[in-house]
Amino acid sequence: MRDWRWLLLLLALLLAWLQYRFWFGPGNSGEVMMLEAQVANQERDNDGLRQRNDALAAEVKDLKEGQSAIEERARSELGMIKPGEKFYRVVEDAPVLPAQPAPVTAQAGDHPADVP
C-alpha cells in the first residue's frame, strides 16, 4: 500500500512540474500564441508582397512583349504623340482672389498723430 502512495505522489509532482512548464516555462502557451499571431501577420504581409510582385511581373512581361504598354507610357508620362495626330492642351484659369486692403489697427496709447 505504501508503494502506491509514493507512486501517486511522484505522479502528482510530475503533473505539477509539467503544468508549471506549460504555463510559465520556456515556450509556454503565451509565447506560442504570440508567435502564432506573428506568423499570421507575416503571412498576410507576404500575400500582399506576392500580389505586388505578380503585378510587377505582369507589367514587365507586357513591356517586353507588347507595344501598347510602351505607347501608353510614352503618351502618359512623356507626353509623346504619334505623327499626324493633333494635340490639344486645355488650361483652366486659376481662380483669382479679390485683393483685400491691409487692416488698420489703432491701439490705445498710440501717438495721436498716427491715428486717423
Side-chain angles (χ1 to χ4, degrees):
M1 254 315 191
R2 281 180 62 128
D3 294 335
W4 287 103
R5 288 183 185 173
W6 285 108
L7 182 63
L8 187 60
L9 179 64
L10 180 65
L11 289 176
L13 288 175
L14 179 64
L15 178 65
W17 179 74
L18 289 174
Q19 284 294 315
Y20 174 79
R21 295 232 354 163
F22 177 75
W23 292 107
F24 304 111
N28 62 34
S29 62
E31 285 183 28
V32 169
M33 290 189 324
M34 183 180 65
L35 290 174
E36 285 175 349
Q38 287 178 354
V39 166
N41 287 338
Q42 190 63 48
E43 285 177 349
R44 188 172 45 250
D45 292 344
N46 288 350
D47 288 340
L49 292 173
R50 193 172 295 116
Q51 288 176 358
R52 186 190 74 178
N53 287 348
D54 291 343
L56 288 173
E59 186 176 348
V60 166
K61 180 182 175 191
D62 194 29
L63 287 173
K64 284 183 178 180
E65 294 176 358
Q67 293 296 321
S68 62
I70 295 171
E71 182 180 334
E72 178 184 342
R73 283 207 167 200
R75 288 176 179 273
S76 65
E77 294 177 8
L78 302 175
M80 300 179 84
I81 59 172
K82 287 183 177 179
E85 287 184 334
K86 292 184 181 179
F87 177 72
Y88 296 98
R89 178 180 289 180
V90 178
V91 180
E92 296 180 11
D93 292 333
V96 179
L97 298 175
Q100 297 178 353
V104 177
T105 58
Q107 304 232 351
D110 284 345
H111 193 286
D114 292 340
V115 178

